Amino acid sequence: MANTNETAYFDLHTTGIGYLNRIREVKPRGKGKPFLAVTVAALHGSSDQVEYTYIDCNVVGAEAEKLVRRCQQAVDAGKKVLVSFRIGDIWADSFTYEKGEKKGQPGASLKGRLLFIGWIKVNGELAYQAKPKPTDATTGTSTDESSADSAAA
């Protein structure tokens, strides 16, 4: 039996569809590398009374970053950029309002890591579709699912 020093992780992934907003390059104060950030207005609720939950995301991974950068011009032009997404490790960040009517009051925002974009529609027209992942012929699961199952075991 081989001994491995591999660390197991438990992933918390949220999937859905939503609109991209506020695509920006963030330059941290002090130390740290600049990173791409985006706010996703995730849709939920009844289709005739849609509600939105806003999630501020760091864009993680070369493919997701490339796709978000590709959408920058359309978002800046006010076009509706709808995506299917996978966001990882969502957490709440508390803060105190510094200006406006709510100055001095506590607030909270959702944050996460934008990991994957399945498709992109700009003003209703399909602009990108991810290629399907190969499946494991013996189990019928995708390679992501089978690796997650083995990590959880």
Side-chain angles (χ1 to χ4, degrees), residues 44-138:
H44 62 94
S46 170
S47 62
D48 58 349
Q49 279 190 313
V50 175
E51 295 182 49
Y52 299 92
T53 296
Y54 296 89
I55 307 167
D56 288 322
C57 299
N58 295 353
V59 181
V60 178
E63 185 67 16
E65 186 172 330
K66 179 179 88 174
L67 292 169
V68 171
R69 286 190 191 282
R70 195 167 118 181
C71 296
Q72 175 96 49
Q73 201 170 16
V75 170
D76 290 348
K79 295 180 180 177
K80 293 184 180 276
V81 180
L82 184 68
V83 299
S84 71
F85 63 80
R86 182 182 318 128
I87 295 174
D89 304 325
I90 289 182
W91 55 284
D93 185 31
S94 61
F95 63 91
T96 302
Y97 286 96
E98 294 183 4
K99 53 188 170 185
E101 282 185 26
K102 296 182 179 182
K103 183 176 181 175
Q105 295 180 24
S109 64
L110 289 177
K111 304 219 180 238
R113 299 180 308 125
L114 180 61
L115 304 171
F116 176 78
I117 294 176
W119 50 258
I120 301 169
K121 290 183 179 178
V122 178
N123 285 343
E125 291 191 33
L126 188 65
Y128 168 80
Q129 176 78 50
K131 292 183 172 87
K133 295 224 181 235
T135 58
D136 182 337
T138 58

